[in-house]
């Protein structure tokens, strides 16, 4: 198993190019199951999660191949199988996104019911209720969600909780349903908007994406298309914090600053100099230390839960006391215990972490527990005194393309090495 070894203390300086968004690419790939044919998806990041989705597609009867750097060709012509097996769904929860597209495309889906994960229980009750409202017959059998969609028809669906995956699944099922669907309390995330845009390019009739109410008029068929994935806003945010925590000076290229307004506001409040310039962000931290800021995660356009761990890393070395409250997932503070091993002063009370900034962290061996927690440990390692070893970095490979290469280019001392120890 690989680990990262980081020698902290280098200021990050230079330019970094942002990859395509993982959380946009996965539903876009799922959408190709709605209509048989050949698709080209551009700006797809090379990530473990994308490989897992490709494996799932192979099982379903689709062919997925890289035809150029960043371009995936997806041929769903031969898709006949509608069973997403446990072995793949357990590797990646986002496999559940084929629930909506198989339902819409094949009118039948049998998808392994995803279990809990490190950050929370993450039920899919709202996906199921939405599909039932669309006239589907849904049963849970032997660990699988079995959807029969012979009578797929539009409906008014109101989500009790805003759900990104739920909104995406229902949108995908509804585009080929008879009649009109109205989704209330829909997720407004840029990834949901990206999916709506691709579906519209395929001929779907959708209005209101990016607002709380999405209206969909079902059509009889769609057309395969070419589509380009939006830049990864969480990768963008992670590099911004890497700049802040190392008191660096970087230019982030190929990003969409409009997608991370809540984060940019907080980083400015913390003392970072940030200039937006089209698809670039120029960022520098000229102050000696960031000032503490309070954070509360929220659905988009609020502060993203996927940036909570990373901003906590920044707050561990800030001036003052910061309160960080996580409201989306019930167990997304596992990084706090690891950051403490590096000398951070963090007290977790319920879903709030009280972080008292210290002058300096010290390198340590730490364990990555989930994707964004892993990113926060890298950030802490970049500023810590001495050597940090991060074990279990396979979590990072799920969601950050070539992170060590990008960080090295900015001057970080980070190496991927085989871990021969017992702790991996
Ligand atoms: N929820 C329910 N019932 C449901 C669905 C969701 O109670 O049927 C709850 C969840 O338990 C959670 C909240 O609603 O408390 C929001 O969950 P949501 O459905 O929005 O999350 P998701 O679609 O499973 C996506 C991202 C996550 C990101 C969240 C929130 C993908 C593939 N995943 O998950 O990304 O944290 O939205 O923004 O898009 C990550 O990239 O590290 C990651 C975890």
């Amino acid at each position: 198993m690989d680990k990262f070894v980081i020698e902290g203390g280098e200021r990050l300086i230079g330019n970094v190019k942002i990859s395509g968004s993982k959380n946009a690419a996965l539903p876009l790939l799922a959408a190709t199951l709605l209509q048989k044919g050949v698709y080209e998806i551009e700006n797809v990041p090379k990530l473990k999660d994308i490989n897992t989705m490709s494996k799932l597609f192979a099982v379903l009867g689709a062919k997925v191949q890289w035809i150029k750097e960043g371009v995936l060709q997806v041929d769903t012509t031969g898709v006949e199988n509608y069973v997403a097996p446990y072995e793949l769904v357990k590797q990646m929860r986002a496999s559940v996104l084929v629930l909506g597209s198989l339902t819409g495309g094949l009118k039948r889906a049998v998808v392994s019911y995803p279990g809990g994960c490190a950050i929370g229980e993450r039920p899919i009750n709202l996906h199921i209720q939405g599909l039932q409202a669309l006239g589907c017959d849904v049963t849970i059998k032997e660990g699988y969600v079995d959807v029969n969609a012979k009578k797929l028809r539009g409906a008014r669906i109101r989500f009790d909780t805003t759900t990104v995956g739920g909104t995406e699944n229902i949108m995908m099922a509804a585009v080929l349903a008879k009649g009109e669907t109205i989704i209330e309390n829909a997720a407004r995330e840029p990834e949901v908007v990206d999916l709506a845009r691709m579906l519209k390019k395929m001929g779907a009739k959708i209005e209101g994406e990016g607002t709380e109410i999405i209206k969909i008029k079902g059509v009889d068929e769609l057309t395969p298309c070419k589509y380009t994935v939006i830049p990864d806003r969480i990768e963008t945010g992670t590099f911004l914090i890497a700049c802040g925590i190392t008191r660096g000076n970087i230019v982030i290229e190929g990003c969409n600053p409009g997608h991370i307004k809540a984060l940019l506001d907080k980083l400015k409040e913390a003392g970072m100099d940030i200039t937006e310039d089209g698809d670039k962000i120029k960022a520098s931290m000229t102050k000696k230390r960031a000032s503490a800021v309070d954070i509360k995660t929220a659905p988009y356009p609020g502060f993203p839960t996927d940036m909570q761990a990373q901003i906590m890393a920044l707050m561990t070395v800030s001036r003052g006391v910061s309160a960080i409250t996580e409201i989306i997932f019930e167990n997304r503070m596992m990084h706090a215990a690891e950051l403490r091993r590096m000398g951070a002063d963090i007290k977790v009370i319920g879903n709030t972490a009280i972080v008292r900034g210290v002058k300096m962290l010290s390198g340590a061996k730490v364990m990555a527990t989930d994707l964004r927690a892993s990113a926060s440990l890298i950030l802490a390692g970049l500023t810590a005194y001495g050597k940090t070893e991060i074990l279990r970095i396979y979590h990072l490979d799920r969601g950050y393309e070539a992170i060590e290469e990008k960080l090295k280019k900015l001057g970080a001392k980070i190496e991927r090495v085989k871990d021969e120890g017992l702790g991996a």
Side-chain angles (χ1 to χ4, degrees), residues 22-24 26-27 49 93-94 97 119-128 161-166 168 187 189 191 233-234 298-299 304-306 327-330 332 370-372:
K22 163 180 88 81
N23 288 349
L26 291 169
D49 274 6
R93 291 184 57 85
L97 288 167
I119 60 175
E121 254 187 61
R122 306 183 73 181
I124 55 160
N125 58 314
L126 301 172
H127 304 227
I128 293 173
T161 306
T162 315
T163 159
V164 174
E168 291 167 343
E189 270 67 3
E191 294 77 19
R233 63 192 168 106
I234 306 304
T305 171
D306 289 346
I327 65 151
I328 308 290
F329 293 109
E330 63 275 17
R332 211 176 196 181
D370 65 78
L371 171 57
R372 309 303 171 188

Side-chain angles (χ1 to χ4, degrees), residues 249-327:
N249 188 350
I250 70 172
V251 178
I252 300 186
E253 296 171 354
C255 64
N256 187 333
H259 289 167
I260 49 166
K261 283 201 179 314
L263 173 67
L264 291 177
D265 286 349
K266 284 294 172 184
L267 292 178
K268 285 178 193 164
E269 193 186 328
M272 273 183 81
D273 293 316
I274 291 173
T275 317
E276 296 170 31
D277 176 12
D279 70 349
K280 293 192 185 69
I281 300 177
K282 295 179 182 153
S284 66
M285 190 70 177
T286 42
K287 266 188 160 188
K288 278 196 121 187
R289 283 165 71 188
S291 311
V293 289
D294 290 337
I295 302 286
K296 192 174 189 179
T297 62
Y300 191 83
F303 190 93
T305 171
D306 289 346
M307 285 303 305
Q308 179 260 105
Q310 299 91 316
I311 200 140
M312 191 183 295
L314 179 65
M315 291 299 106
T316 63
V317 288
S318 70
R319 195 184 288 276
V321 181
S322 154
I324 301 178
T325 304
E326 170 60 54
I327 65 151

Side-chain angles (χ1 to χ4, degrees), residues 83-87 110-114 139-146:
V83 183
Y86 173 70
E87 289 65 30
V110 179
V111 176
S112 176
Y113 201 113
T139 49
I140 312 295
K141 272 196 294 214
E142 295 164 2
Y144 282 75
V145 187
D146 188 331

Side-chain angles (χ1 to χ4, degrees), residues 81-350:
N81 184 14
Y82 46 74
V83 183
Y86 173 70
E87 289 65 30
L88 288 167
V89 179
K90 78 166 196 253
Q91 284 177 37
M92 183 184 71
R93 291 184 57 85
S95 315
V96 83
L97 288 167
V98 301
L99 196 59
S101 54
L102 287 173
T103 298
L106 297 189
K107 306 290 180 277
R108 186 80 202 276
V110 179
V111 176
S112 176
Y113 201 113
C117 91
I119 60 175
E121 254 187 61
R122 306 183 73 181
I124 55 160
N125 58 314
L126 301 172
H127 304 227
I128 293 173
Q129 283 166 22
L131 290 172
Q132 285 170 330
L134 291 178
C136 301
D137 182 17
V138 187
T139 49
I140 312 295
K141 272 196 294 214
E142 295 164 2
Y144 282 75
V145 187
D146 188 331
V147 184
N148 218 311
K150 281 197 199 100
K151 294 183 215 134
L152 194 64
R153 49 158 168 69
R156 178 182 285 266
I157 294 162
R158 184 177 173 81
F159 288 124
D160 288 343
T161 306
T162 315
T163 159
V164 174
T167 304
E168 291 167 343
N169 261 334
I170 298 308
M171 257 169 47
M172 287 190 273
V175 289
L176 287 173
K178 283 216 174 339
E180 190 179 56
T181 297
I182 298 178
I183 308 176
E184 294 176 352
N185 196 21
R188 290 179 279 166
E189 270 67 3
E191 294 77 19
V192 173
V193 175
D194 209 31
L195 173 62
R197 288 204 181 128
M198 169 157 152
L199 293 172
K200 288 211 261 198
K201 204 166 176 200
M202 290 165 68
K205 297 215 163 104
I206 305 176
E207 273 174 33
E209 67 274 18
T211 76
E212 280 168 30
I213 298 180
I214 299 179
K215 286 190 187 160
I216 300 165
K217 281 207 176 77
V219 295
D220 290 336
E221 59 174 1
L222 299 164
T223 324
C225 70
K226 274 191 184 181
Y227 195 77
T228 304
V229 182
I230 52 170
D232 197 307
R233 63 192 168 106
I234 306 304
E235 188 196 18
T236 307
T238 304
F239 276 99
L240 278 171
I241 293 186
C243 171
I245 208 165
T246 63
R247 297 167 199 170
N249 188 350
I250 70 172
V251 178
I252 300 186
E253 296 171 354
C255 64
N256 187 333
H259 289 167
I260 49 166
K261 283 201 179 314
L263 173 67
L264 291 177
D265 286 349
K266 284 294 172 184
L267 292 178
K268 285 178 193 164
E269 193 186 328
M272 273 183 81
D273 293 316
I274 291 173
T275 317
E276 296 170 31
D277 176 12
D279 70 349
K280 293 192 185 69
I281 300 177
K282 295 179 182 153
S284 66
M285 190 70 177
T286 42
K287 266 188 160 188
K288 278 196 121 187
R289 283 165 71 188
S291 311
V293 289
D294 290 337
I295 302 286
K296 192 174 189 179
T297 62
Y300 191 83
F303 190 93
T305 171
D306 289 346
M307 285 303 305
Q308 179 260 105
Q310 299 91 316
I311 200 140
M312 191 183 295
L314 179 65
M315 291 299 106
T316 63
V317 288
S318 70
R319 195 184 288 276
V321 181
S322 154
I324 301 178
T325 304
E326 170 60 54
I327 65 151
I328 308 290
F329 293 109
E330 63 275 17
N331 193 29
R332 211 176 196 181
M333 292 271 180
M334 306 254 278
H335 39 282
E338 298 300 305
L339 291 169
R340 250 184 241 130
R341 301 194 65 247
M342 300 178 71
D345 181 348
I346 308 174
K347 199 176 273 173
V348 179
I349 305 164

